[in-house]
Amino acid sequence: MSQLLVDRKQIEEFLIDEAAYLDEGKFSEWLDLFTEDSFYWIPSNQDDIDPNTHVSIIYDDKNRLEERVWRLQSGLAYGQEPKSRTRHLVTNVKVLHCEEDKVIVTSNFILVELRRSIQTIYSGRLEHHLKQTDTTWKIASKKVELINNNEFLGNLSFLF
């Protein structure tokens, strides 16, 4: 098995760019970061469950993710009226595994959301499975492990 020499700085820049797309409302650009067979997952109650047999907060394939982004951009996501202002802080980036054209990366995050004069802070761990293309990385999967995924979460109609 050949090992890919991964430039951690390049991975960090990719994750920071992804967060910036979300904070700037550039959801189409964010969606373009995902592969066609990707999924976006926020587990519920526990972090290490089988999303096919347990309830998840969100478990979207690329098509469902496209619908979610479409609703956000169309104004039909009523939970986002008015829209949330967010800031994603990504830190503690760690490359867990790399092989051929794939890497598994974890990081910690803090997301601050402001909506209707209420500021809410979310925190947790991200796990990205990335695939390298000719020119850049693509997200094969993104798992968002909220530290309070077993608590009341309120309106989660924005993207992590």
Side-chain angles (χ1 to χ4, degrees):
M1 182 180 305
S2 67
Q3 292 286 319
L4 173 72
L5 183 58
V6 177
D7 182 352
R8 193 176 130 214
K9 197 74 177 160
Q10 184 186 31
I11 299 291
E12 286 177 345
E13 288 174 12
F14 178 85
L15 296 177
I16 290 168
D17 288 346
E18 181 204 4
Y21 286 148
L22 293 170
D23 292 338
E24 295 167 7
K26 296 180 177 177
F27 301 127
S28 295
E29 289 85 345
W30 177 76
L31 194 57
D32 287 343
L33 297 176
F34 286 79
T35 62
E36 291 306 313
D37 60 348
S38 61
F39 66 88
Y40 173 79
W41 179 32
I42 304 177
S44 181
N45 296 319
Q46 301 174 35
D47 297 329
D48 294 316
I49 58 171
D50 179 351
N52 295 307
T53 59
H54 291 82
V55 173
S56 296
I57 297 167
I58 295 174
Y59 185 53
D60 287 351
D61 62 11
K62 180 78 179 269
N63 289 333
R64 291 276 304 164
L65 203 51
E66 288 171 346
E67 290 173 17
R68 189 176 300 277
V69 165
W70 177 83
R71 280 194 311 275
L72 288 170
Q73 293 174 324
S74 69
L76 294 176
Y78 300 112
Q80 279 298 292
E81 196 57 47
K83 293 180 181 179
S84 298
R85 294 185 66 200
T86 61
R87 282 295 172 256
H88 292 72
L89 306 175
V90 179
T91 185
N92 297 19
V93 176
K94 192 174 188 179
V95 177
L96 288 186
H97 181 78
C98 61
E99 67 178 68
E100 297 181 22
D101 62 344
K102 301 174 187 170
V103 296
I104 300 173
V105 181
T106 61
S107 58
N108 293 334
F109 74 92
I110 294 176
L111 187 155
V112 180
E113 179 211 20
L114 178 66
R115 185 168 175 274
R116 296 189 187 274
S117 302
I118 299 172
Q119 184 170 294
T120 308
I121 298 173
Y122 299 91
S123 180
R125 177 181 177 266
L126 299 170
E127 183 176 301
H128 285 82
H129 290 226
L130 304 176
K131 287 184 183 176
Q132 190 169 37
T133 65
D134 291 340
T135 57
T136 188
W137 293 98
K138 292 280 190 178
I139 300 170
S141 69
K142 180 177 181 179
K143 180 180 176 188
V144 180
E145 298 173 356
L146 294 167
I147 61 171
N148 59 340
N149 67 10
N150 61 345
E151 304 285 339
F152 173 75
L153 292 168
N155 181 358
L156 288 184
S157 57
F158 54 88
L159 297 165
F160 282 88

